[in-house]
Amino acid sequence: MDILLLSLTAFGGPQVHLMMMIERLVRKRRYISEEELLELQALCQILPGPSSTQTVTAIGLKIGGQPLAYLSLIVWSLPAMILMILAAIGIHYLERHSISLEFTRFVGPMAVAFLMYGASTIARKVIHNTQGWTFLIIATILAYLYPSPYMTPVLLLCGGLAAALNFKKHEKMEKGPIRIKWRPIIFWISVLVVAAIIGKITNSLPVRLFENFYRNGSLVFGGGQVLIPILYNEFVEFKHYLTEQEFLAGMALTQIVPGPVFSIATFVGSVSLQSHGWFGQVIGGFVATAGIFLPGTFFIFFAYPFWDQLKRYRGIRASLEGIHAASCGLTIAAAISLFQPMMTNSQPLITVLCTLVVLSFGKIPSYVIIMAGLLLGLAF
């Protein structure tokens, strides 16, 4: 019930989610200590996947083992999944009946401003030296020039390996024996391989969608702001499963839907199957949600038992700098690609600039800003 209440009220992204977890799960319910929660969140931030969702899953794992971890994952992600599927069905209904989406003209530029602001905020938080900023610039240029889904793992891997070479700058820590249980990793690889093979043999779009989101969920470091450019590159620019306007609408909706920011994947999966009717959209949303969240769950099951020892290795700590820098570069490249067409039109350009000002100097919740954008679109 506590996780359900969080999933219905947790607006605003991982930082806000963490504060709400501390209030309800630590101070009110005392399931774990605040120190334990912060350590779990630190672990989730360095693993691929959605950090808030992984933190919720890790709490369930700590308290009640894998059954409670899976239950916590389902309860946390279900409300956002339902709302985003309904939103995707609603947008398709409007398009099918030739009802203009002009009322969303303000929320698209607002979503781009959120992406810009998120990228700059994350970059300032995780990059602390010239090397990191160099990685970010290189990743931004390459991701912008070559908007392919295959560029994402290449940039993340190269950034991590390059940064790991500077492990000597990090303080040595006393190490203990690491006892690794490989079963979660075997499950992770098995699901990926089986989904890829079945998708190739059957050419089934739902199976291929599951494999696509499962692969992306296995590669995303840095949260929803990093996932958004990955999905944009693959499903809008590369595969053309949805239009740029539809994607921007989905980006904006993530700001007014409670729960994980990764719910953008649910929307993209649902819209990708809109030609199969409303039932197809439900299936698309479901397979996208399962695909995007399962890898992070397997990684938590794998890493949690030996996290205390793993973080003592200098190479692991050093590689995170390059991974975070490359992730920020991917986000900035996507923001540039989305913003570029808006630069020749005064209305979206002004909307982006005004939203950035509000985000930078105001404390207005993101969902309030998006709701105001929808009202403006209806009124003018």
Side-chain angles (χ1 to χ4, degrees):
M1 181 58 70
D2 291 301
I3 299 298
L4 178 61
L5 288 174
L6 281 176
S7 70
L8 294 172
T9 57
F11 298 90
Q15 288 75 23
V16 179
H17 297 169
L18 178 62
M19 293 301 102
M20 296 182 72
M21 289 179 199
I22 291 174
E23 181 63 31
R24 173 160 289 275
L25 304 182
V26 174
R27 295 173 184 169
K28 187 173 182 179
R29 297 298 188 185
R30 302 185 185 280
Y31 291 131
I32 58 175
S33 69
E34 185 170 335
E35 181 180 358
E36 289 172 327
L37 176 59
L38 293 175
E39 286 184 356
L40 287 178
Q41 202 236 4
L43 168 61
C44 296
Q45 285 183 328
I46 68 167
L47 291 174
S51 58
S52 294
T53 303
Q54 288 173 306
T55 302
V56 168
T57 305
I59 293 171
L61 180 64
K62 181 178 180 63
I63 297 173
Q66 291 190 9
L68 185 58
Y70 279 118
L71 180 61
S72 299
L73 169 66
I74 292 170
V75 172
W76 166 252
S77 59
L78 191 60
M81 182 186 76
I82 292 173
L83 290 172
M84 292 302 271
I85 289 175
L86 291 175
I89 292 173
I91 286 177
H92 179 53
Y93 174 85
L94 294 176
E95 292 178 330
R96 194 175 66 228
H97 289 80
S98 300
I99 300 174
S100 174
L101 294 178
E102 186 67 14
F103 69 93
T104 66
R105 64 186 180 278
F106 289 102
V107 298
M110 285 179 170
V112 173
F114 277 105
L115 194 60
M116 291 178 175
Y117 181 76
S120 64
T121 301
I122 294 172
R124 291 195 302 270
K125 186 178 297 185
V126 302
I127 300 177
H128 308 291
N129 52 47
T130 303
Q131 174 189 267
W133 289 109
T134 302
F135 287 163
L136 181 146
I137 293 171
I138 293 173
T140 301
I141 294 172
L142 291 176
Y144 177 74
L145 294 177
Y146 305 100
S148 166
Y150 303 106
M151 184 59 66
T152 299
V154 170
L155 290 176
L156 292 174
L157 181 62
C158 291
L161 290 175
L165 297 176
N166 295 317
F167 68 92
K168 292 182 179 180
K169 294 182 179 180
H170 289 258
E171 179 185 357
K172 284 186 177 181
M173 300 178 69
E174 183 180 350
K175 305 180 185 68
I178 296 180
R179 297 178 177 87
I180 299 177
K181 294 182 179 180
W182 292 102
R183 182 177 296 178
I185 294 299
I186 294 172
F187 283 159
W188 166 61
I189 296 175
S190 299
V191 171
L192 180 62
V193 172
V194 170
I197 292 173
I198 294 177
K200 186 69 173 179
I201 293 174
T202 64
N203 202 33
S204 168
L205 183 54
V207 177
R208 287 188 286 119
L209 278 176
F210 174 81
E211 185 274 330
N212 293 160
F213 284 102
Y214 190 88
R215 169 170 42 81
N216 288 320
S218 302
L219 296 170
V220 178
F221 292 84
Q225 262 71 18
V226 179
L227 177 66
I228 285 171
I230 293 174
L231 298 185
Y232 177 79
N233 286 338
E234 179 160 358
F235 293 99
V236 178
E237 292 199 341
F238 193 71
K239 295 181 176 175
H240 307 292
Y241 284 170
L242 65 166
T243 66
E244 183 175 309
Q245 186 179 20
E246 289 170 336
F247 188 84
L248 288 172
M251 281 177 57
L253 287 168
T254 60
Q255 304 297 327
I256 60 176
V257 169
V261 179
F262 270 48
S263 60
I264 179 66
T266 305
F267 180 86
V268 172
S270 184
V271 175
S272 297
L273 278 174
Q274 59 186 356
S275 61
H276 293 65
W278 70 266
F279 185 71
Q281 289 195 263
V282 172
I283 296 297
F286 176 78
V287 298
T289 305
I292 207 70
F293 286 127
L294 271 179
T297 304
F298 289 144
F299 290 140
I300 280 292
F301 290 167
F302 172 70
Y304 176 72
F306 62 88
W307 163 234
D308 284 337
Q309 292 303 321
L310 186 65
K311 64 186 178 183
R312 296 176 180 273
Y313 284 82
R314 293 185 291 173
I316 296 295
R317 298 201 307 275
S319 68
L320 298 178
E321 297 177 4
I323 291 172
H324 288 317
S327 297
C328 290
L330 286 164
T331 306
I332 294 170
I336 293 172
S337 296
L338 289 167
F339 181 61
Q340 195 170 2
M342 300 178 181
M343 296 174 65
T344 57
N345 190 324
S346 60
Q347 180 262 309
L349 179 60
I350 293 172
T351 303
V352 169
L353 296 176
C354 290
T355 306
L356 286 173
V357 170
V358 171
L359 290 172
S360 300
F361 300 102
K363 295 183 178 181
I364 303 175
S366 58
Y367 62 90
V368 173
I369 297 174
I370 296 298
M371 291 299 294
L374 288 171
L375 292 175
L376 280 174
L378 290 171
F380 299 101

